[in-house]
């Protein structure tokens, strides 16, 4: 009769949980889900801006992770690996919905107007004096006002830390388009944050 | 050049272009202002990533995942049988067609005509006709 080993899951590092999960331990996998579920859901939510879809895609990501766990060799952290899975699912979903498109007014302006030099941030610190939580909320709100195409490059670049080349590959656009979308998105974000500051001072 | 300034801030410029941008920045106040603005904004966004929590309890969230994993595993177990049946569905007619082709090929043809890519209807009076196109490397056995 095999000896049953009871691990201390809550205090085990990710590497151990992954190793146990790779040998079929669902309790170890559940602990990984518990530990990283908010980050994975948040990433899906940032990409999709729809709670139901984000919930569904984040759960699908966990199912895929379980199925592909043998492929995870620890080249990156488990959280990074998981985030990449959910991002790929979100990008696939956005493609299916044809929501990453170029015909929005914002993008037409971007394509036809080129990029101007100035960021519309007259104030050197448009968010000065805001509490951290309030600031997070304002940034989330501003991100929500970007088009999906623009938000996608911001999320992949600023939060995922992906290089232009990698973003181009994942989204299926040229590096030049990544650069112009990123610039346009930043300019919009700066404008939005500036207007939030104005609203606050009124 | 504006996108070069952004690429400079993002650390995406190769060294030769980075040096060119740095040289340009020293004499261009407007460009310096843009670089600073981009840096500030990037830092602000990165350091204030929105914190969003799963709108479900740990138990419920996990139970949904577990259900999908179980379902996928059950389908995986069922798949080999289905896969084999799928092959059989193709295999039976394929073997039949191959058998017919072998019989037709081995059977001494009563008439063979070689046409350069066209079919002569006058030849169809026979019960077995072979159409062969040397140029296309194609042979067709026609059986009435």
């Amino acid at each position: 009769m095999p000896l049953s080993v009871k691990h201390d899951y809550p205090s085990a590092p990710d590497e151990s949980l992954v190793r146990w999960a790779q040998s079929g331990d669902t309790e170890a996998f559940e602990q990984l889900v518990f530990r990283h579920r908010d980050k994975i859901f948040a990433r899906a939510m940032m990409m999709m801006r729809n709670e139901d879809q984000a919930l569904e895609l984040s759960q699908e990501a966990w199912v895929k992770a379980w199925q592909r766990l043998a492929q995870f060799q620890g080249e990156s952290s488990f959280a990074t690996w998981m985030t990449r899975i959910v991002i790929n699912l979100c990008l696939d979903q956005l493609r299916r919905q044809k929501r990453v498109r170029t015909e929005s007014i914002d993008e037409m302006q971007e394509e036809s107007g080129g990029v101007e030099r100035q960021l519309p941030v007259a104030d050197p610190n448009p968010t000065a004096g805001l509490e951290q939580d309030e600031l997070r909320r304002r940034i989330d709100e501003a991100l929500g006002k970007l088009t999906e195409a623009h938000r996608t490059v911001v999320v992949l670049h600023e939060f995922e830390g992906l290089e232009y080349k990698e973003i181009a590959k994942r989204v299926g656009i040229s590096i030049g388009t990544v650069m112009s979308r990123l610039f346009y998105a930043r300019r919009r974000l700066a404008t939005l944050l500036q207007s939030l500051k104005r609203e606050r001072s009124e | 050049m504006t996108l070069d300034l952004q690429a400079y801030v993002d650390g995406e410029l190769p060294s030769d272009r980075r040096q060119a941008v740095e040289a340009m920045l020293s004499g261009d106040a407007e460009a310096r202002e843009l670089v600073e603005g981009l840096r500030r904004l990037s830092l602000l966004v990165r350091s204030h990533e929105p914190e969003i929590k799963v709108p479900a309890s740990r138990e419920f969230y996990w139970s949904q995942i577990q259900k999908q994993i179980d379902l996928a595993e059950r389908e995986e177990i069922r798949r080999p049988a289905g896969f084999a049946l799928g092959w059989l569905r193709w295999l039976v007619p394929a073997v039949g067609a191959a058998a017919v082709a072998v019989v037709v090929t081995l059977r001494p043809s009563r008439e063979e005509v070689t046409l350069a890519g066209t079919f002569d209807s006058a030849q169809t009076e026979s019960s077995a006709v072979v159409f062969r196109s040397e140029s296309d490397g194609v042979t067709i056995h026609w059986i009435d």
Side-chain angles (χ1 to χ4, degrees), chain A residues 41-56:
Chain A
F41 172 74
R43 191 57 86 244
M45 191 62 194
M46 299 264 277
M47 300 276 289
M48 308 306 296
R49 309 302 291 188
N50 176 307
E51 196 174 274
D52 290 339
Q53 282 190 336
L55 204 55
E56 199 177 304

Side-chain angles (χ1 to χ4, degrees), chain A residues 43 117 124 132 158 164, chain B residues 10 34 40 46 48-49 61:
Chain A
R43 191 57 86 244
R117 256 187 164 194
Q132 296 296 300
E158 304 290 21
Y164 296 166
Chain B
D10 291 333
L34 176 63
R40 264 198 312 272
R46 277 172 199 236
H48 293 86
E49 184 176 346
Y61 189 69

Side-chain angles (χ1 to χ4, degrees), chain A residues 50-132:
Chain A
N50 176 307
E51 196 174 274
D52 290 339
Q53 282 190 336
L55 204 55
E56 199 177 304
L57 289 167
S58 69
Q59 287 174 332
E60 193 181 334
W62 286 109
V63 175
K64 284 219 179 316
W66 171 259
Q67 291 165 339
R68 297 174 188 172
L69 212 49
Q71 294 167 24
F72 177 69
Q73 300 297 318
E75 297 90 353
S76 62
S77 73
F78 178 75
T80 302
W81 184 69
M82 262 315 297
T83 312
R84 300 287 148 88
I85 293 177
V86 79
I87 280 177
N88 285 342
L89 287 174
C90 291
L91 289 173
D92 287 346
Q93 181 67 18
L94 288 171
R95 275 189 210 104
R96 272 199 297 274
Q97 294 175 351
K98 299 189 193 309
R99 284 164 72 183
V100 178
R101 56 185 190 264
T102 54
E103 67 266 28
S104 76
I105 292 168
D106 282 348
E107 282 166 297
M108 274 160 50
Q109 282 171 349
E110 170 197 5
E111 306 299 339
S112 59
V115 286
E116 292 155 24
R117 256 187 164 194
Q118 293 85 6
L119 282 183
V121 188
D123 191 319
N125 190 355
T127 54
L130 288 178
E131 292 293 324
Q132 296 296 300

Side-chain angles (χ1 to χ4, degrees), chain A residues 26 29-31 33-34 37-38 41-43 45-46 51 55 58-60 62-63 66-67 115-119 123-124 127 132 135-136 139-140 143 154 157-159 163-164 179-180 182-183 186 189-190 193, chain B residues 1-10 12 17 24 28 30-31 33-34 37-38 40-62 64-66 68-69 72-73:
Chain A
T26 51
F29 189 66
E30 184 187 356
Q31 182 64 38
V33 172
F34 175 62
R37 68 190 179 130
D38 285 336
F41 172 74
R43 191 57 86 244
M45 191 62 194
M46 299 264 277
E51 196 174 274
L55 204 55
S58 69
Q59 287 174 332
E60 193 181 334
W62 286 109
V63 175
W66 171 259
Q67 291 165 339
V115 286
E116 292 155 24
R117 256 187 164 194
Q118 293 85 6
L119 282 183
D123 191 319
T127 54
Q132 296 296 300
L135 196 47
R136 277 183 216 285
I139 288 173
D140 186 38
L143 284 167
V154 171
H157 185 74
E158 304 290 21
F159 300 139
E163 293 179 352
Y164 296 166
M179 290 167 79
S180 61
L182 191 56
F183 186 81
R186 282 168 162 166
L189 278 177
L193 291 170
Chain B
M1 197 60 194
T2 304
L3 291 183
D4 265 7
L5 291 175
Q6 176 181 247
Y8 173 74
V9 170
D10 291 333
E12 293 260 4
R17 279 167 66 195
M24 188 266 286
D28 188 335
E30 194 186 279
E33 197 179 324
L34 176 63
L38 286 169
R40 264 198 312 272
L41 186 69
S42 181
L43 186 67
L44 182 77
V45 173
R46 277 172 199 236
S47 55
H48 293 86
E49 184 176 346
E51 285 175 351
I52 306 167
K53 293 193 181 303
V54 173
S57 70
R58 172 185 178 163
E59 292 72 22
F60 182 71
Y61 189 69
W62 169 247
Q64 297 293 101
I65 294 166
Q66 201 170 27
Q68 288 180 52
I69 288 174
E73 283 178 357

Side-chain angles (χ1 to χ4, degrees), chain B residues 25-143:
Chain B
L25 281 175
S26 61
D28 188 335
E30 194 186 279
R32 280 200 303 276
E33 197 179 324
L34 176 63
V35 163
E36 271 316 299
L38 286 169
R39 267 205 189 113
R40 264 198 312 272
L41 186 69
S42 181
L43 186 67
L44 182 77
V45 173
R46 277 172 199 236
S47 55
H48 293 86
E49 184 176 346
E51 285 175 351
I52 306 167
K53 293 193 181 303
V54 173
S57 70
R58 172 185 178 163
E59 292 72 22
F60 182 71
Y61 189 69
W62 169 247
S63 73
Q64 297 293 101
I65 294 166
Q66 201 170 27
K67 208 182 288 175
Q68 288 180 52
I69 288 174
D70 290 346
L71 188 70
E73 283 178 357
R74 276 203 300 276
E75 277 174 9
E76 192 66 28
I77 292 165
R78 269 205 305 270
R79 197 171 298 152
F83 188 69
L85 282 175
W87 268 103
L88 275 177
R89 209 168 48 232
W90 287 102
L91 197 63
V92 171
V95 167
V100 169
V102 166
V103 167
V104 168
T105 308
L106 294 179
R107 205 173 137 193
S109 60
R110 288 180 221 168
E111 185 177 356
E112 281 197 7
V113 286
T114 303
L115 300 171
T118 55
F119 192 85
D120 184 356
S121 59
Q123 305 293 336
T124 57
E125 286 172 12
S126 325
S127 56
V129 176
V130 175
F131 171 83
R132 184 175 292 147
S133 171
E134 297 291 349
S135 58
D136 295 319
V138 172
T139 303
I140 299 169
H141 294 261
W142 183 284
I143 305 160

